Coordinates of all heavy atoms in Angstrom, one line a residue:
S52 N 134.4 -65.5 130.5 CA 134.6 -65.3 131.9 C 136.1 -65.6 132.3 O 136.6 -64.9 133.2 CB 133.7 -66.3 132.7 OG 134.0 -67.6 132.4
A53 N 136.8 -66.5 131.6 CA 138.2 -66.8 131.9 C 139.1 -65.6 131.6 O 140.0 -65.3 132.3 CB 138.6 -68.1 131.2
V54 N 138.8 -65.0 130.4 CA 139.6 -63.8 130.0 C 139.4 -62.7 131.0 O 140.3 -62.0 131.4 CB 139.3 -63.4 128.6 CG1 140.0 -62.1 128.2 CG2 139.7 -64.5 127.6
A56 N 138.4 -62.8 134.1 CA 139.0 -63.1 135.4 C 140.5 -62.9 135.4 O 141.1 -62.4 136.3 CB 138.6 -64.5 135.8
C57 N 141.1 -63.4 134.3 CA 142.6 -63.3 134.2 C 143.1 -61.9 134.1 O 144.0 -61.4 134.8 CB 143.1 -64.1 133.0 SG 143.1 -65.9 133.2
V58 N 142.4 -61.1 133.3 CA 142.8 -59.7 133.1 C 142.5 -58.9 134.4 O 143.3 -58.1 134.9 CB 142.0 -59.0 131.9 CG1 142.3 -57.5 131.9 CG2 142.5 -59.7 130.6
L60 N 142.3 -60.1 137.5 CA 143.2 -60.6 138.6 C 144.6 -60.0 138.4 O 145.1 -59.4 139.4 CB 143.3 -62.1 138.6 CG 144.2 -62.7 139.6 CD1 143.7 -62.5 141.0 CD2 144.4 -64.2 139.3
R61 N 145.2 -60.0 137.3 CA 146.5 -59.5 137.1 C 146.6 -58.0 137.3 O 147.5 -57.5 138.0 CB 147.0 -59.9 135.7 CG 147.5 -61.3 135.5 CD 147.5 -61.7 134.1 NE 148.3 -60.9 133.2 CZ 149.6 -61.1 132.9 NH1 150.2 -62.2 133.4 NH2 150.3 -60.3 132.1
V182 N 148.1 -60.6 123.9 CA 147.7 -61.9 124.2 C 146.4 -62.3 123.5 O 146.3 -63.4 123.0 CB 147.5 -62.1 125.7 CG1 147.0 -63.5 126.1 CG2 148.8 -61.8 126.5
A186 N 146.3 -65.6 121.0 CA 145.5 -66.7 121.6 C 144.1 -66.6 121.0 O 143.2 -67.2 121.6 CB 145.5 -66.6 123.1
T189 N 142.3 -70.0 120.3 CA 141.8 -70.6 121.5 C 140.5 -70.0 122.0 O 139.5 -70.6 122.4 CB 142.8 -70.6 122.6 OG1 144.0 -71.3 122.3 CG2 142.3 -71.1 124.0
M190 N 140.5 -68.6 122.0 CA 139.3 -67.9 122.4 C 138.1 -68.1 121.4 O 137.0 -68.2 121.8 CB 139.6 -66.4 122.6 CG 140.7 -66.2 123.6 SD 141.1 -64.4 123.8 CE 142.5 -64.6 125.0
Q193 N 136.5 -71.2 122.2 CA 135.6 -71.1 123.4 C 134.2 -70.5 122.9 O 133.2 -70.9 123.4 CB 136.2 -70.2 124.4 CG 137.3 -71.0 125.3 CD 136.6 -72.1 126.1 OE1 136.6 -73.2 125.7 NE2 136.1 -71.7 127.3
Y273 N 136.2 -76.9 129.4 CA 137.2 -76.9 130.5 C 138.6 -76.7 130.0 O 139.4 -76.0 130.5 CB 137.0 -78.2 131.3 CG 136.2 -78.1 132.5 CD1 134.8 -78.1 132.3 CD2 136.7 -78.1 133.7 CE1 133.9 -78.0 133.4 CE2 135.9 -78.0 134.9 CZ 134.5 -77.9 134.7 OH 133.7 -77.8 135.8
F274 N 138.9 -77.4 128.9 CA 140.3 -77.3 128.4 C 140.5 -75.9 127.9 O 141.7 -75.4 128.0 CB 140.5 -78.3 127.2 CG 141.8 -78.3 126.6 CD1 143.0 -78.7 127.3 CD2 142.0 -77.7 125.4 CE1 144.2 -78.7 126.7 CE2 143.3 -77.7 124.8 CZ 144.4 -78.2 125.5
G275 N 139.5 -75.3 127.3 CA 139.7 -73.9 126.8 C 140.0 -72.9 127.9 O 140.8 -72.0 127.7
I276 N 139.4 -73.1 129.1 CA 139.7 -72.3 130.2 C 141.2 -72.4 130.6 O 141.8 -71.4 130.9 CB 138.8 -72.6 131.4 CG1 137.3 -72.3 131.1 CG2 139.2 -71.9 132.7 CD1 136.3 -72.7 132.1
E277 N 141.7 -73.6 130.7 CA 143.1 -73.8 131.0 C 144.0 -73.2 130.0 O 145.1 -72.7 130.3 CB 143.4 -75.3 131.3 CG 142.6 -75.9 132.5 CD 143.2 -77.2 132.9 OE1 144.2 -77.6 132.3 OE2 142.6 -77.8 133.8
E278 N 143.6 -73.3 128.7 CA 144.4 -72.7 127.6 C 144.5 -71.2 127.8 O 145.6 -70.6 127.6 CB 143.8 -73.0 126.3 CG 144.1 -74.5 125.8 CD 145.5 -74.6 125.3 OE1 145.8 -74.4 124.1 OE2 146.4 -75.0 126.1
I279 N 143.4 -70.6 128.2 CA 143.4 -69.1 128.4 C 144.3 -68.8 129.6 O 145.0 -67.8 129.6 CB 142.0 -68.6 128.6 CG1 141.2 -68.7 127.2 CG2 141.9 -67.2 129.1 CD1 139.7 -68.5 127.4
C280 N 144.1 -69.5 130.7 CA 145.0 -69.3 131.9 C 146.5 -69.4 131.5 O 147.3 -68.7 132.0 CB 144.6 -70.3 133.0 SG 143.0 -69.9 133.7
R281 N 146.8 -70.4 130.7 CA 148.2 -70.6 130.3 C 148.7 -69.4 129.5 O 149.8 -69.0 129.6 CB 148.3 -71.9 129.4 CG 149.7 -72.3 129.1 CD 149.7 -73.6 128.3 NE 149.3 -74.7 129.2 CZ 148.1 -75.4 129.0 NH1 147.4 -75.1 128.0 NH2 147.8 -76.4 129.8
A282 N 147.8 -68.8 128.6 CA 148.3 -67.7 127.8 C 148.5 -66.5 128.7 O 149.5 -65.7 128.5 CB 147.2 -67.3 126.8
F283 N 147.8 -66.3 129.8 CA 148.0 -65.2 130.7 C 148.9 -65.5 131.8 O 149.2 -64.5 132.6 CB 146.6 -64.7 131.2 CG 145.8 -63.9 130.3 CD1 144.7 -64.5 129.6 CD2 146.0 -62.6 130.0 CE1 144.0 -63.8 128.7 CE2 145.3 -61.8 129.1 CZ 144.2 -62.5 128.5
G284 N 149.3 -66.7 132.0 CA 150.2 -67.0 133.1 C 149.5 -67.0 134.5 O 150.1 -66.6 135.5
V285 N 148.3 -67.4 134.5 CA 147.5 -67.4 135.8 C 147.2 -68.8 136.2 O 146.7 -69.6 135.4 CB 146.2 -66.6 135.6 CG1 145.3 -66.7 136.8 CG2 146.5 -65.1 135.3
P286 N 147.4 -69.2 137.5 CA 147.0 -70.5 138.0 C 145.5 -70.6 137.9 O 144.8 -69.7 138.3 CB 147.5 -70.5 139.4 CG 148.6 -69.5 139.5 CD 148.2 -68.4 138.5
P287 N 145.0 -71.7 137.3 CA 143.5 -71.8 137.0 C 142.7 -71.6 138.3 O 141.6 -71.1 138.2 CB 143.4 -73.1 136.4 CG 144.7 -73.4 135.7 CD 145.7 -72.8 136.6
Q288 N 143.2 -72.2 139.4 CA 142.4 -72.1 140.6 C 142.2 -70.7 141.1 O 141.2 -70.5 141.9 CB 142.9 -73.0 141.7 CG 144.3 -72.6 142.2 CD 145.4 -73.3 141.5 OE1 145.3 -73.6 140.3 NE2 146.5 -73.7 142.1
L289 N 143.0 -69.8 140.8 CA 142.9 -68.4 141.2 C 141.7 -67.7 140.5 O 141.3 -66.6 141.0 CB 144.2 -67.6 141.0 CG 145.4 -68.0 141.9 CD1 146.5 -67.1 141.6 CD2 145.0 -68.1 143.3
I290 N 141.2 -68.2 139.4 CA 140.0 -67.7 138.8 C 138.8 -68.6 139.0 O 137.8 -68.4 138.3 CB 140.3 -67.4 137.3 CG1 140.5 -68.6 136.5 CG2 141.4 -66.4 137.1 CD1 140.4 -68.5 135.0
G291 N 138.9 -69.5 139.9 CA 137.8 -70.4 140.2 C 137.7 -71.6 139.4 O 136.7 -72.3 139.5
H292 N 138.7 -72.0 138.6 CA 138.7 -73.2 137.9 C 139.4 -74.3 138.7 O 140.7 -74.3 138.8 CB 139.4 -73.0 136.6 CG 139.4 -74.2 135.6 ND1 138.2 -74.6 135.0 CD2 140.3 -75.1 135.3 CE1 138.5 -75.7 134.3 NE2 139.8 -76.0 134.4
T293 N 138.7 -75.1 139.4 CA 139.2 -75.9 140.5 C 139.2 -77.4 140.2 O 139.1 -78.2 141.1 CB 138.5 -75.7 141.8 OG1 137.1 -75.8 141.6 CG2 138.8 -74.2 142.3
N294 N 139.2 -77.8 139.0 CA 139.2 -79.3 138.7 C 140.6 -79.8 139.1 O 141.6 -79.1 139.2 CB 138.9 -79.6 137.3 CG 140.0 -79.1 136.3 OD1 140.5 -78.0 136.5 ND2 140.3 -79.9 135.3
S297 N 144.1 -79.0 137.4 CA 144.6 -77.6 137.1 C 145.4 -77.0 138.3 O 145.6 -75.8 138.3 CB 143.4 -76.7 136.8 OG 142.6 -76.6 138.0
W299 N 148.4 -75.9 140.5 CA 149.9 -75.6 140.3 C 150.6 -76.1 141.5 O 151.8 -76.4 141.5 CB 150.1 -74.1 140.1 CG 150.0 -73.7 138.7 CD1 149.4 -74.4 137.7 CD2 150.5 -72.5 138.1 NE1 149.5 -73.6 136.5 CE2 150.1 -72.5 136.8 CE3 151.1 -71.4 138.7 CZ2 150.4 -71.4 135.9 CZ3 151.4 -70.3 137.8 CH2 151.1 -70.3 136.5
F310 N 152.6 -67.6 141.4 CA 151.9 -66.6 140.6 C 152.8 -65.3 140.6 O 153.0 -64.6 139.6 CB 150.6 -66.3 141.2 CG 149.8 -65.2 140.5 CD1 149.6 -65.3 139.1 CD2 149.2 -64.2 141.2 CE1 148.9 -64.3 138.4 CE2 148.4 -63.3 140.6 CZ 148.3 -63.3 139.2
S314 N 154.5 -64.9 137.0 CA 153.5 -64.1 136.2 C 153.7 -62.6 136.5 O 153.7 -61.8 135.6 CB 152.1 -64.6 136.5 OG 151.2 -63.9 135.8

Side-chain angles (χ1 to χ4, degrees):
S52 61
V54 175
C57 287
V58 174
L60 178 68
R61 282 161 56 95
V182 177
T189 296
M190 296 177 188
Q193 282 294 96
Y273 263 76
F274 180 72
I276 294 175
E277 295 196 4
E278 284 283 274
I279 291 173
C280 288
R281 187 176 294 113
F283 283 101
V285 173
Q288 63 267 37
L289 292 185
I290 66 166
H292 186 71
T293 54
N294 66 322
S297 65
W299 274 18
F310 182 49
S314 182

